[in-house]
Amino acid sequence: MNTFLVLVAAFLVLNVALGLVRVARGPTPADRMLAAQLFGTTGVGVLLLLAEALAAPELRVIALVFTLLAVVVSVAFVKRGWIRVQGEPEDGEEGA
């Protein structure tokens, strides 16, 4: 069972490596943010799998900290990223 969990963790790390392509290519900041969320979510999954496979409960605590950090980063991105410039037309509206 431990071998299976380690193999699944390795698969998730490979998934993160493929996500690096999205970070590098963009095209928008939102795409990059979603890729960063992929890293956080996958990192938590890998830590939980390794905690079970290696019988290391302290990895669960680290996974919880990563989860809390991911929430803070998401909120900060939304607060900073989607502030509309005054006078800028909304989607679907034509400029004046």
Side-chain angles (χ1 to χ4, degrees), residues 4-95:
F4 175 71
L5 293 175
V6 171
L7 287 174
V8 171
F11 173 75
L12 290 175
V13 170
L14 178 66
N15 195 11
V16 168
L18 293 174
L20 283 172
V21 173
R22 177 52 52 197
V23 171
R25 294 185 62 191
T28 66
D31 291 330
R32 291 185 174 106
M33 183 60 206
L34 286 174
Q37 285 295 349
L38 169 74
F39 298 158
T41 305
T42 305
V44 169
V46 168
L47 285 171
L48 291 174
L49 286 168
L50 292 177
E52 192 65 30
L54 304 174
E58 59 274 1
L59 290 178
R60 289 186 187 113
V61 175
I62 296 170
L64 278 172
V65 171
F66 278 9
T67 302
L68 292 173
L69 287 174
V71 170
V72 171
V73 167
S74 296
V75 170
F77 176 77
V78 169
K79 287 284 210 179
R80 185 177 185 281
W82 269 281
I83 297 174
R84 189 175 331 189
V85 178
Q86 190 173 10
E88 182 178 298
E90 291 188 28
D91 290 339
E93 294 181 0
E94 296 198 19

